[in-house]
Amino acid sequence: MSLPVDDLQCPVCCDFFVDPVLLSCSHSFCRECVRRCWETSGSRECPVCRKRASKAGPTTNLALRNLCETVLEARKGSLSSEKEKEELNCDLHQEKLKLFCLVDKQPICVVCHSSKTHKNHDCSTIEEAVVDCKDELSSTLVRLQQKMDNLKRIHTNSSYNIDYIKNQAVETQREIKAQFEQLHQVLHREESERLAALKQEENEKLAGMRDKISEISEEMLSLEESFSVLESELNADDMTILQNFKAIQDRCNTIPLGPVNMSGILIDVSKHLSNLKYSIWENTNDHLQYTPVTLDPNTAHPYLILSEDLTSLHYSGQSYGCPDNPERFQMSAEVVGMSALGSGSHHWTVETGSNRDWLLGVTSASAPRNADVSARPENGFWTLCYRDGELRAMASPPTPLVLTKEAPVRRIRLQLDYNRGTLCFFDCSHDDDDDTLLYTFESTFTELLLPYFYTQSHHPLRIFPESVMVTALRKEGSKQVM
């Protein structure tokens, strides 16, 4: 004889008992239900007979709990069996589902296959479809796992980037103060404004980085949910996989699996330090040194050390923990200038000194930063190379250069005429003002160019400063650069 369902239901919630407890009056309730009743009434009374319960905690009614669990499990098994029997047949024709429509991504019967809906659609057998669908879902699972691994790596690096950004701000602030100290009497106002701009950018970068971390965390949470759903579906029975396949695949296809955009996350150090003294020349009548090209530290290979004023570099042989940001060169010891070169004429001079392993020139702005490519024009590089005592123009093929003077090359001047498509290299190592043309690249430049530097020498390459004279004119308070 079966027990009435009412005897298995809590008098408070009117549902099957969950963790039932037995009071001294012999009435049973869900543990959570009786607790809420006591909290609401303020007294430990039986919700049915109002008899006061003992001070000790109510005991678990093990027999009743086991009985409820047995009945619920039996009901669940019965419902699942009935549902499975219903799902094995087509809802429209009550025929057994023997085919899988490859167009609509759903199981169908033979009558469905002959109908207008699926008549011209490619189909496969249920057995073949299960294998194919599992393979496809497994591939999707692998891609999601790769995305998750990539997000975890970026999330970890992003936390490190916050410390790096703070360190950038500290170092940049120190250099700003050092340069402003030289002209502090007349430049106090300018110094304060630039420090405020740096602080504002630091806050913006940190806020943006925190937002990026939060965004990545949310995306990771979403991926974890999709990952869990996909794993559950792969462990389900074959028919459930086929019936839910389209919905699951549509859900997975909405998840972007491309790389996370982390460009522009670092402080633009060059904006604060590049030609700092020259940029405030209106506040002084002294002669200033101007460097036509300054280096972008956010692009420097981790083994390169840049000077504080961003005008020299040398090779260290060890990494100093730079972030793996997209702008940075990762394959070899390279760095580019911060200012892109376009229409017009541009020139700068590099002092190579005792450095015997270098490449100098220009590179296109879109040249790869994380790939090992030859510094040739077809790859977006126009350079001169000095290595093993030999000077070569890195054309295709490389062209050895014969020096007309016995003294080694110690200073190179680069002259870029963007509109004419020429890049000239001059040897200006000597004091006789007799600059010697070493080589001329001729090309049709189609995008912005960046000054390019490479070295694996501990001896520095230094961008030579130029003297600029600032003279005040009386006409309407204007000034002229001479």
Side-chain angles (χ1 to χ4, degrees), residues 395-419:
S396 295
T399 303
L401 302 179
V402 179
L403 301 178
T404 58
K405 298 182 179 180
E406 295 182 358
V409 175
R410 304 181 67 87
R411 189 178 298 174
I412 299 289
R413 181 165 62 88
L414 295 85
Q415 180 74 46
L416 171 67
D417 192 322
Y418 188 93
N419 296 341

Side-chain angles (χ1 to χ4, degrees), residues 176-184 187 190-191 194:
I176 290 175
K177 287 186 175 182
Q179 292 198 27
F180 266 103
E181 187 64 27
Q182 301 174 21
L183 304 171
H184 202 269
L187 303 178
E190 185 74 12
E191 179 186 14
R194 288 183 175 268

Side-chain angles (χ1 to χ4, degrees), residues 173-420:
Q173 185 182 66
R174 184 181 61 80
E175 180 62 19
I176 290 175
K177 287 186 175 182
Q179 292 198 27
F180 266 103
E181 187 64 27
Q182 301 174 21
L183 304 171
H184 202 269
Q185 295 298 322
V186 293
L187 303 178
H188 179 73
R189 178 181 60 84
E190 185 74 12
E191 179 186 14
S192 300
E193 293 177 356
R194 288 183 175 268
L195 290 176
L198 172 62
K199 187 63 180 178
Q200 179 181 355
E201 183 174 9
E202 178 190 5
N203 293 335
E204 292 173 353
K205 295 293 185 179
L206 290 174
M209 199 67 254
R210 292 189 181 101
D211 291 342
K212 180 64 70 175
I213 292 176
S214 176
E215 178 184 334
I216 291 174
S217 298
E218 292 177 0
E219 191 171 351
M220 289 173 64
L221 181 60
S222 176
L223 269 178
E224 287 176 353
E225 294 176 356
S226 298
F227 191 85
S228 177
V229 171
L230 196 53
E231 279 189 326
S232 299
E233 290 298 333
L234 283 174
N235 292 327
D237 58 87
D238 295 347
M239 189 55 63
T240 301
I241 290 177
L242 296 178
Q243 291 174 330
N244 297 338
F245 174 78
K246 188 175 186 300
I248 297 171
Q249 194 67 0
D250 290 343
R251 175 177 177 174
C252 293
N253 289 338
T254 60
I255 300 175
L257 299 180
V260 177
N261 183 13
M262 297 296 289
S263 298
I265 62 172
L266 303 180
I267 288 178
D268 189 355
V269 178
S270 300
K271 179 179 67 177
H272 299 281
L273 297 181
S274 175
N275 300 316
L276 182 60
K277 296 177 183 178
Y278 179 76
S279 66
I280 55 173
W281 62 269
E282 289 182 333
N283 298 329
T284 180
N285 290 327
D286 296 333
H287 296 102
L288 300 177
Q289 285 187 331
Y290 166 67
T291 307
V293 168
T294 53
L295 306 173
D296 185 351
N298 292 344
T299 69
H301 186 272
Y303 283 13
L304 289 180
I305 297 179
L306 275 55
S307 63
E308 293 180 340
D309 61 357
L310 308 178
T311 61
S312 71
L313 67 147
H314 69 275
Y315 187 77
S316 68
Q318 59 181 343
S319 174
Y320 286 87
C322 299
D324 184 14
N325 52 298
E327 300 89 349
R328 194 175 304 280
F329 286 95
Q330 300 292 343
M331 303 304 295
S332 59
E334 305 162 278
V335 65
V336 293
M338 58 83 59
S339 298
L341 309 178
S343 178
S345 180
H346 313 271
H347 71 276
W348 61 99
T349 302
V350 181
E351 188 174 56
T352 58
S354 300
N355 191 310
R356 294 294 180 264
D357 186 0
W358 50 260
L359 274 80
L360 299 174
V362 297
T363 180
S364 59
S366 64
R369 306 289 174 92
N370 59 353
D372 190 8
V373 298
S374 300
R376 307 286 177 82
E378 61 267 23
N379 295 326
F381 294 85
W382 295 265
T383 63
L384 232 57
C385 173
Y386 188 76
R387 181 173 294 161
D388 299 329
E390 182 182 2
L391 186 64
R392 293 177 297 167
M394 298 302 290
S396 295
T399 303
L401 302 179
V402 179
L403 301 178
T404 58
K405 298 182 179 180
E406 295 182 358
V409 175
R410 304 181 67 87
R411 189 178 298 174
I412 299 289
R413 181 165 62 88
L414 295 85
Q415 180 74 46
L416 171 67
D417 192 322
Y418 188 93
N419 296 341
R420 292 185 178 180

Side-chain angles (χ1 to χ4, degrees), residues 17-40:
F17 285 103
V18 177
D19 191 14
V21 294
L22 181 65
L23 302 186
S24 57
C25 61
S26 298
H27 289 121
S28 294
F29 305 91
C30 297
R31 186 182 298 275
E32 183 64 19
C33 291
V34 74
R35 184 189 66 79
R36 286 200 301 266
C37 288
W38 288 350
E39 288 181 352
T40 302

Side-chain angles (χ1 to χ4, degrees), residues 101-152:
C101 179
L102 300 177
V103 177
D104 295 325
K105 307 294 185 183
Q106 64 181 28
I108 62 174
C109 67
V110 292
V111 180
C112 291
H113 189 214
S114 302
S115 66
K116 291 183 178 180
T117 305
H118 302 280
K119 185 173 184 179
N120 296 321
H121 291 177
D122 291 334
C123 296
S124 65
T125 64
I126 289 294
E127 292 75 13
E128 293 175 343
V130 168
V131 174
D132 294 340
C133 291
K134 281 188 175 182
D135 289 342
E136 188 169 345
L137 290 177
S138 297
S139 299
T140 302
L141 188 63
V142 170
R143 293 196 298 272
L144 290 178
Q145 182 63 55
Q146 292 173 345
K147 175 67 173 181
M148 176 63 74
D149 294 341
N150 187 44
L151 285 177
K152 287 181 179 179

